[in-house]
Amino acid sequence: MRIRNHPTNFLSSYTELSSREDRVNELTRLVASLPEANYTILRALTAHLIEIVDNADVNKMTARNVGIVFSPTLGIPAGVFSLLMSDFDQIFHTDDGRIMPLENSDLHGHTVSRGDASLDNIPHS
Amino acid sequence: MTFWPKKKEETPSAMPSTAPSQSNAQSLLASSPSQPSQDSSRRKYFLGKNSGSGGTGVGSSGSASNVLPPSSAPGSSSYLQLAPIRQVFGVPLEQAIEQARVLSGYDLPAVVYRCIEYLNFHQAKMEEGIYRLNGSSTVIKNLKEQFNHEGDVQLMASEEYYDIHAVAGLLKLYLRDLPSSVLTRELHKDFLQVVGKDIGSLDCPL
């Protein structure tokens, strides 16, 4: 397995991405290269699960618990899944102005400043 | 490298064609093929569509006008048999979207859309153990069968209340049934490489 070339990645082929930032950047690149259908389902699901985790004090489903359930379901590592949720805005480019029907406007701003995050959602709830 | 092999469910065709759709979660324990009729006119409506099996096979019940989902072909004479004529479970993602999507331009299989929509509406996020607790396997199986038959089932438009754990289970089942990784075959290994073997399996259950 080889890490593809990336502008900010000068790690050797045999070195795992060491910093969290590197991993998030690489995930961002990979998610951007997913086909539209795969991107959409992954984003819709992740956004939905962030809402679940945001209420972990009530529903007891922490990010870790949700990861334990969904990593095997999706067949992806818990580490990847955890980053998809924690760095949702960057990885899914939520600032690109696209309207995603099922997403709650409160969702955005997890890792970036809230700003006008509400604008990229459906105005009427 | 496969971290967690996907479980394979039995194919819908292996299920009895007369499997009824239960009217509510409570009635699931009694797996009688004949559903108690709560509304004779509704029952008559369905019997009018097909004189076959005894079960109504329709969970998205209500007034006749909203019974049929938008994607359902008019004159679907095999309505009660619930043959997987618009199969969305276990088929490639693109194929499921082709079968039924809710919004044009939004590349999401209708089943995923309906589940999330339903769970959001019923405040699943306030439910303890959501996604961890199992829903009734009978309800899940019946809903799966309905989706495979109709492509799209408007869960919200139904008079029936589906247990949110069953709907959550349906969503998980759909994801588990996907024939290939949601990260695509081509990129799956690249995704694994991002976290490395050790980090990726840190939280691995089991």
Side-chain angles (χ1 to χ4, degrees):
Chain A
M1 288 189 288
R2 202 175 68 81
I3 301 167
R4 292 184 186 178
N5 287 333
H6 185 274
T8 62
N9 175 21
F10 35 77
L11 298 167
S12 84
S13 305
Y14 302 104
T15 310
E16 284 166 4
L17 296 170
S18 51
S19 80
R20 186 178 193 282
E21 192 183 349
D22 284 339
R23 291 199 292 271
V24 171
N25 287 338
E26 177 66 358
L27 275 185
T28 304
R29 189 186 70 78
L30 288 170
V31 165
S33 52
L34 284 174
E36 178 70 14
N38 299 72
Y39 170 89
T40 303
I41 191 173
L42 199 59
R43 175 167 174 173
L45 182 68
T46 308
H48 171 63
L49 293 176
I50 286 173
E51 276 196 69
I52 301 293
V53 168
D54 276 351
N55 293 278
D57 55 333
V58 178
N59 62 37
K60 306 281 195 283
M61 294 303 285
T62 59
R64 186 175 186 278
N65 286 345
V66 166
I68 285 173
V69 171
F70 276 88
S71 294
T73 298
L74 291 166
I76 69 180
V80 169
F81 195 71
S82 161
L83 288 174
L84 291 180
M85 288 207 289
S86 63
D87 291 75
F88 179 80
D89 283 320
Q90 178 187 328
I91 292 173
F92 289 94
H93 289 287
T94 60
D95 60 351
D96 67 359
R98 292 182 67 187
I99 293 174
M100 302 306 263
L102 293 169
E103 287 178 17
N104 184 333
S105 60
D106 291 341
L107 186 73
H108 300 279
H110 258 249
T111 54
V112 296
S113 64
R114 292 298 299 270
D116 56 354
S118 59
L119 290 179
D120 66 12
N121 236 285
I122 301 173
H124 41 82
S125 55
Chain B
M1 165 171 31
T2 304
F3 275 38
W4 298 288
K6 299 185 171 194
K7 280 187 218 162
K8 279 296 153 201
E9 288 282 314
E10 58 185 309
T11 59
S13 57
M15 296 190 291
S17 61
T18 54
S21 174
Q22 302 294 345
S23 58
N24 55 46
Q26 284 73 33
S27 68
L28 289 167
L29 295 173
S31 57
S32 154
S34 60
Q35 176 176 332
S37 173
Q38 316 142 306
D39 180 338
S40 59
S41 66
R42 200 175 91 208
R43 187 170 181 82
K44 188 179 170 190
Y45 171 76
F46 288 119
L47 289 174
K49 297 286 284 186
N50 187 315
S51 56
S53 63
T56 65
V58 175
S60 56
S61 52
S63 69
S65 61
N66 70 8
V67 165
L68 292 175
S71 61
S72 179
S76 50
S77 56
S78 62
Y79 199 60
L80 296 182
Q81 293 172 6
L82 292 187
I85 55 176
R86 298 177 75 96
Q87 184 148 0
V88 292
F89 280 75
V91 303
L93 186 56
E94 292 74 16
Q95 198 178 320
I97 295 166
E98 223 168 90
Q99 287 287 9
R101 74 172 87 206
V102 173
L103 300 170
S104 67
Y106 189 47
D107 277 358
L108 194 68
V111 60
V112 177
Y113 189 102
R114 297 301 183 194
C115 286
I116 293 178
E117 178 185 50
Y118 190 89
L119 291 166
N120 285 345
F121 181 79
H122 288 284
Q123 293 283 302
K125 64 184 180 185
M126 297 306 182
E127 180 78 6
E128 186 168 335
I130 186 68
Y131 286 114
R132 185 178 60 77
L133 298 178
N134 294 322
S136 155
S137 60
T138 312
V139 173
I140 294 172
K141 204 176 189 179
N142 286 337
L143 284 172
K144 173 182 175 178
E145 203 180 337
Q146 276 185 65
F147 271 101
N148 274 339
H149 178 74
E150 299 164 22
D152 185 10
V153 180
Q154 295 190 63
L155 301 176
M156 299 252 297
S158 170
E159 280 179 352
E160 221 170 292
Y161 174 78
Y162 301 100
D163 177 40
I164 54 177
H165 295 290
V167 176
L170 186 73
L171 179 57
K172 286 194 291 181
L173 179 60
Y174 174 80
L175 297 170
R176 209 159 49 228
D177 275 1
L178 280 173
S180 63
S181 168
V182 74
L183 304 177
T184 73
R185 285 201 173 92
E186 295 73 24
L187 295 175
H188 192 85
K189 283 186 175 176
D190 290 339
F191 273 97
L192 295 192
Q193 183 69 42
V194 171
V195 289
K197 194 181 170 189
D198 295 337
I199 300 171
S201 57
L202 253 187
D203 289 331
C204 175
L206 307 179

